[in-house]
Amino acid sequence: MAYSEKVIDHYENPRNVGGFGKEDAGVGTGMVGAPACGDVMRLQIKVNEQGIIEDAKFKTYGCGSAIASSSLVTEWVKGKTLDEAMTIKNSQIAEELELPPVKIHCSVLAEDAIKAAIEDYRKKSGASSSETH
Amino acid sequence: MSAVQADVVQSPAVRERPIYLDYQATTPVDPLVVEAMLPYLTQNFGNPASRSHSYGWSAEEAVENARAQVANAIHADPKEIVWTSGATEASNLAIKGAAHFYSGKGKHILTLRTEHKATLDTCRQLEREGFEVTYLDVQENGLVDLEAFRAALRPDTVLASILFVNNEIGVIQPMEEIGKILREHKIIFHVDAVQALGKVPVDVETIQADLMSLSAHKIYGPKGIGALYVRRKPRVRIEAQIHGGGHERGMRSGTLPTHQIVGMGAAAELAVRSMESDNRRIRQLRDRLLEGIMSRVDEVYINGDMEHRVPHNLNLSFAFVEGESLIMALKGIAVSSGSACTSASLEPSYVLRALGKSDELAHSSIRFGIGRYTTEEEIDETIALVAAKVGKLRELSPLWEMHLEGIDLNSVQWAAH
Ligand SMILES: Cc1ncc(COP(=O)(O)O)c(C=O)c1O
Ligand code: FES
């Protein structure tokens, strides 16, 4: 399988690897996928009082495209509001990384992960942040 | 060092290509084999079937000489060797040919779940034609359970097909015992000995094989040539699958590729001659590779029995890393993986699944195939690379983190997607 240069770059120099304390204030965690499917993505966001994502971290068990997709979205969500981050589409990720059709599901997983992290943050921080809807 | 060897073995400083550790996929042609083949492409290009002139005669002589070389390598008679385009064709001819010929006696075939696709897909085709096939499970170590094997035989079983040495995990089946059981029951015994020749002694008498598939390109011969052994005493009959000029006593028509055949003959002779020294060297390299990886990397699992196994194969699963990213990380070495993503089928290795391995471990398996030209230097580089890359991928892996925290991954509710 030939990978695009962008995939290889993210794969070899993944951005924002790591994590935050799950219970820390302002942290939302999204964990999607399953080991049996060959991919598990954990994406975490740290949201400040203005409702802006000021930091993001990931860890991914999966193919090169899955690693690259999650690395890319950690870059993209930083500085965005939750609503803005919610609009990130897997097709944008796939386009940016030039993923071939068989690798589209890896980008879908990254979209799912960011949505799951935002939901988790909203659930944890209760009604107050839901009002930003 | 000869030119061919120089092509395969590269010094690290000038290494332009990955280290080749995929000798179960194919092998480079040995320089001695190339040398033997060349005159039959240019000088002695005659058609071995041409009876009317010396071009044909000298080609025929070369073909018969090679036939004797291959026969000797498996302790058979030259008259029992039929040339084919490779082992895939040999197994098709053996299994379909015998099943069709003996279908009046019964329509049940016995084989293993861990066979090569050349056998499995041929059996699937026969199922579509109305045969019944049992794909017997193997034990966790990849070896057949002889009691289960015996129990799977039926009164209408006409043929059993067994892989001598497994191409993915290198385990050696108890062929003598299997041969004995089958002979007792008068069941035709087809053996895929592709990965066995040159690695373990292959003797059609000791194992009482009736049919045996061989391939040149796994024994430092050229691709596109193989052979089927067909027993004459007691006589085993097969129906031809390819019809034409009646070559190979009607069992396989088609002009014989003299140069390929000469290459297979030379390779077979060389394989037997260098078996002991090859094995000794390769075993040392295998042990070095295994110890090197095991001492540097945690949570590595060996797939397949270590005792009943050729040293040329080491199949390891690296827990908590995913197979395709591992292959990507190991691009400095040419290996094969049981991962779904790298194979055409999108299923993790059916061989590892048959051993009862979880999908995760099947996904993260790497087959290291060591061969005649592998060097200690290459093994050491491989160890270093594997240790570094697995370490790097585990730092990226949420599963590794959870493992370190003592979380049992089986207890986690995974969000399906
Ligand atoms: C065990 C086994 N059987 C059969 C084959 C098929 O041989 P060939 O490539 O000559 O068709 C192979 C090689 O892929 C093999 O490893
Ligand atoms: S995780 Fe297997 S294809 Fe992306």
Side-chain angles (χ1 to χ4, degrees):
Chain A
M1 164 100 30
Y3 293 97
S4 71
E5 270 171 39
K6 282 173 188 160
V7 169
I8 292 173
D9 177 40
H10 274 279
Y11 171 76
E12 282 179 352
N13 314 292
R15 333 284 202 258
N16 309 310
V17 176
F20 310 118
K22 264 195 180 131
E23 309 308 325
D24 290 3
V27 170
T29 302
M31 176 112 102
V32 293
C37 305
D39 34 39
V40 175
M41 221 176 253
R42 187 190 70 195
L43 202 132
Q44 293 185 297
I45 50 172
K46 192 178 243 173
V47 183
N48 67 15
E49 269 150 29
Q50 287 75 48
I52 305 253
I53 300 172
E54 58 178 19
D55 205 357
K57 297 258 186 231
F58 85 98
K59 280 201 178 187
T60 290
Y61 161 90
C63 72
S65 306
I67 291 171
S69 297
S70 38
S71 168
L72 178 69
V73 294
T74 58
E75 281 194 317
W76 277 1
V77 296
K78 276 200 230 178
K80 285 197 163 62
T81 65
L82 294 177
D83 285 344
E84 282 164 354
M86 279 302 272
T87 66
I88 292 175
K89 289 275 168 306
N90 84 284
S91 52
Q92 298 167 305
I93 301 167
E95 192 183 337
E96 172 68 17
L97 294 175
E98 296 161 32
L99 298 183
V102 295
K103 294 292 173 183
I104 297 301
H105 78 266
C106 319
S107 63
V108 172
L109 208 60
E111 181 189 322
D112 290 351
I114 183 70
K115 295 215 156 94
I118 292 169
E119 261 166 45
D120 178 63
Y121 168 80
R122 284 185 168 152
K123 211 157 51 193
K124 270 168 60 183
S125 54
S128 62
S129 44
S130 302
E131 278 164 13
T132 58
H133 263 301
Chain B
M1 191 185 280
S2 72
V4 173
Q5 260 169 300
D7 277 352
V8 185
V9 183
Q10 312 159 75
S11 84
V14 297
R15 186 167 284 136
E16 285 169 3
R17 296 190 300 168
I19 297 170
Y20 190 73
L21 284 177
D22 206 5
Y23 280 89
Q24 271 94 63
T26 196
T27 59
V29 183
D30 192 284
L32 292 171
V33 173
V34 176
E35 213 177 291
M37 290 172 69
L38 285 177
Y40 293 93
L41 284 160
T42 50
Q43 283 308 121
N44 307 330
F45 60 87
N47 186 331
S50 296
R51 292 284 151 79
S52 50
H53 49 68
S54 62
Y55 293 89
W57 303 332
S58 79
E60 191 193 11
E61 194 185 321
V63 165
E64 293 316 311
N65 179 47
R67 202 187 296 278
Q69 286 173 312
V70 169
N72 282 342
I74 60 170
H75 301 269
D77 187 276
K79 292 195 194 73
E80 298 176 309
I81 302 298
V82 174
W83 300 115
T84 65
S85 64
T88 300
E89 189 196 328
S91 293
N92 269 264
L93 176 56
I95 298 170
K96 289 178 189 162
H100 288 156
F101 191 89
Y102 294 102
S103 61
K105 284 176 70 180
K107 296 193 109 181
H108 178 243
I109 297 166
L110 178 58
T111 188
L112 303 181
R113 272 181 70 191
T114 49
E115 293 294 305
H116 190 267
K117 285 280 184 194
T119 294
L120 294 177
D121 276 13
T122 301
C123 287
R124 291 264 180 252
Q125 174 57 27
L126 286 171
E127 282 184 285
R128 284 190 283 271
E129 295 174 16
F131 288 85
E132 272 186 73
V133 183
T134 300
Y135 303 91
L136 192 65
D137 255 318
V138 293
Q139 304 172 82
E140 239 173 85
N141 59 7
L143 295 173
V144 65
D145 174 344
L146 289 170
E147 279 321 301
F149 184 82
R150 204 185 275 276
L153 296 174
R154 306 191 330 203
D156 62 339
T157 309
V158 282
L159 172 72
S161 183
I162 305 292
L163 186 49
F164 199 147
V165 170
N166 186 281
N167 48 297
E168 270 194 49
I169 51 176
V171 300
I172 309 165
Q173 298 295 354
M175 300 308 276
E176 268 188 65
E177 289 83 346
I178 294 172
K180 192 156 164 275
I181 297 172
L182 292 172
R183 187 57 67 86
E184 265 168 36
H185 291 79
K186 296 197 169 56
I187 294 166
I188 303 281
F189 184 17
H190 169 246
V191 176
D192 176 341
V194 168
Q195 300 282 353
L197 192 59
K199 301 189 178 92
V200 293
V202 178
D203 184 333
V204 291
E205 291 311 325
T206 347
I207 65 175
Q208 305 188 62
D210 295 309
L211 298 159
M212 181 180 281
S213 299
L214 300 168
S215 180
H217 74 96
K218 313 283 185 171
I219 54 167
Y220 308 90
K223 294 168 185 59
I225 182 74
L228 179 65
Y229 157 82
V230 185
R231 177 175 288 280
R232 280 165 72 92
K233 280 185 206 149
R235 187 160 178 218
V236 170
R237 307 284 298 272
I238 51 173
E239 245 176 43
Q241 303 296 310
I242 293 183
H243 303 91
H247 309 73
E248 300 298 277
R249 281 166 290 121
M251 281 188 267
R252 202 281 192 175
S253 288
T255 298
L256 295 176
T258 315
H259 62 292
Q260 301 286 82
I261 289 171
V262 166
M264 178 156 188
E269 189 179 306
L270 191 59
V272 173
R273 183 150 34 95
S274 44
M275 184 168 88
E276 238 187 81
S277 59
D278 270 6
N279 275 3
R280 203 174 319 116
R281 221 177 54 81
I282 288 169
R283 183 173 298 276
Q284 278 168 6
L285 294 174
R286 195 274 313 269
D287 290 345
R288 190 181 181 90
L289 179 61
L290 180 62
E291 279 161 27
I293 291 177
M294 287 298 193
S295 65
R296 284 178 183 69
V297 190
D298 290 332
E299 296 288 333
V300 180
Y301 300 91
I302 301 174
N303 298 311
D305 196 72
M306 271 313 270
E307 195 188 326
H308 301 98
R309 185 193 199 106
V310 295
H312 309 63
N313 169 294
L314 188 60
N315 189 312
L316 301 176
S317 284
F318 298 86
F320 313 113
V321 298
E322 187 273 339
E324 191 187 339
S325 55
L326 185 57
I327 284 275
M328 197 172 163
L330 297 178
K331 62 179 188 293
I333 50 179
V335 285
S336 139
S337 148
S339 166
C341 303
T342 53
S343 69
S345 63
L346 279 177
E347 281 288 311
S349 155
Y350 65 90
V351 172
L352 298 187
R353 292 269 291 270
L355 307 194
K357 304 283 167 182
S358 67
D359 280 0
E360 294 98 289
L361 284 182
H363 268 298
S364 70
S365 71
I366 298 284
R367 176 182 73 182
F368 299 92
I370 306 170
R372 195 174 284 165
Y373 306 116
T374 309
T375 64
E376 205 169 276
E377 218 165 42
E378 290 178 316
I379 293 292
D380 289 347
E381 269 188 71
T382 300
I383 296 167
L385 201 69
V386 167
K389 297 297 182 174
V390 171
K392 187 193 145 179
L393 285 173
R394 281 183 176 165
E395 261 168 54
L396 273 178
S397 167
L399 304 181
W400 177 245
E401 188 182 304
M402 292 162 84
H403 166 72
L404 292 181
E405 286 166 0
I407 298 170
D408 174 12
L409 296 180
N410 293 320
S411 70
V412 177
Q413 279 271 306
W414 298 102
H417 69 287

